[in-house]
Amino acid sequence: MAIMVASRQFYDTVAQTTHVVGDASGWTILPGGAGAYTTWASQQTFTVGDILVFNFTNRQHDVAEVVAANYEPCTSTNPIFLATTSPASLTLTTAGTHYYICTFPSHCQIGQKLTINVSASATTPTTPASPPTTPPPSTTPTTPASPPTTTPTPPSATPTTPMEPCPPTAPPTPSPLSPPTFTSDNITPPINGASSFTAVVPATFLAIGLAWLF
């Protein structure tokens, strides 16, 4: 970095041109009037960075840079630059037309005035701006999310075998009641030879059992 700065300063020093206004005649009232300085300026090439040198006699002349509106009427009010001591050196920092006059009474009116055109420097290298340290946003497209890989299982096409209806269950067949059984232990033997009663009793029980069945 130090080498670059030194090289830039050296280049600017070499590139600068020092212009002595009026050459050997200096900054004064010339016999040719304002035309003499116009002729001198036409033989020069003024570039931003060049230096103007005004040589004059102190307390007899000065030099002021004025705006364009004040140049023709030789108005010295609110000058851009004013130097009262010789030699006065002025570095040209901006391109365009520059206007200079002497503010002593009547000096500007009788021709102590100068107009020059300054061009921008085309050969002075400019230090490139440092690139931003922030990396540019990535331009790689993002990969879309993969769709789910689960494949739905189609319903089975195998028909189901209908189940045969079960036949109705027949109601249980009531089993006939067995007639009561009577043993000889339950029969009271006839008393006093009542044989007729013994014969009637079995018949009666038989009739009751048949009636129960039906």
Side-chain angles (χ1 to χ4, degrees):
M1 181 62 70
I3 295 175
M4 292 179 61
V5 172
S7 300
R8 175 67 182 272
Q9 292 176 347
F10 175 78
Y11 184 85
D12 290 343
T13 302
V14 172
Q16 287 177 344
T17 300
T18 300
H19 306 272
V20 178
V21 178
D23 294 330
S25 300
W27 180 242
T28 186
I29 301 173
L30 297 178
Y37 287 111
T38 301
T39 301
W40 173 86
S42 65
Q43 299 171 352
Q44 312 294 319
T45 299
F46 302 98
T47 307
V48 171
D50 289 354
I51 299 174
L52 290 181
V53 178
F54 294 84
N55 292 320
F56 54 86
T57 304
N58 292 336
R59 295 185 298 276
Q60 295 183 11
H61 303 282
D62 61 16
V63 58
E65 181 176 0
V66 297
V67 297
N70 292 343
Y71 181 73
E72 289 299 334
C74 294
T75 302
S76 60
T77 305
N78 298 323
I80 300 173
F81 167 83
L82 176 64
T84 60
T85 303
S86 178
S89 297
L90 175 63
T91 301
L92 303 175
T93 58
T94 59
T97 306
H98 295 256
Y99 305 91
Y100 304 94
I101 63 173
C102 178
T103 64
F104 276 68
S106 304
H107 287 199
C108 175
Q109 286 80 354
I110 59 179
Q112 193 175 359
K113 57 196 306 185
L114 169 68
T115 303
I116 64 172
N117 293 316
V118 181
S119 61
S121 176
T123 58
T124 302
T126 57
T127 304
S130 300
T133 57
T134 303
S138 176
T139 57
T140 304
T142 57
T143 304
S146 302
T149 57
T150 304
T151 304
T153 305
S156 176
T158 305
T160 58
T161 305
M163 298 179 64
E164 296 182 359
C166 297
T169 305
T173 304
S175 28
L177 297 176
S178 303
T181 305
F182 299 94
T183 62
S184 59
D185 296 334
N186 296 328
I187 301 174
T188 304
I191 302 173
N192 297 326
S195 58
S196 60
F197 179 79
T198 305
V200 174
V201 171
T204 302
F205 283 112
L206 179 62
I208 292 172
L210 294 174
W212 182 265
L213 293 173
F214 294 96

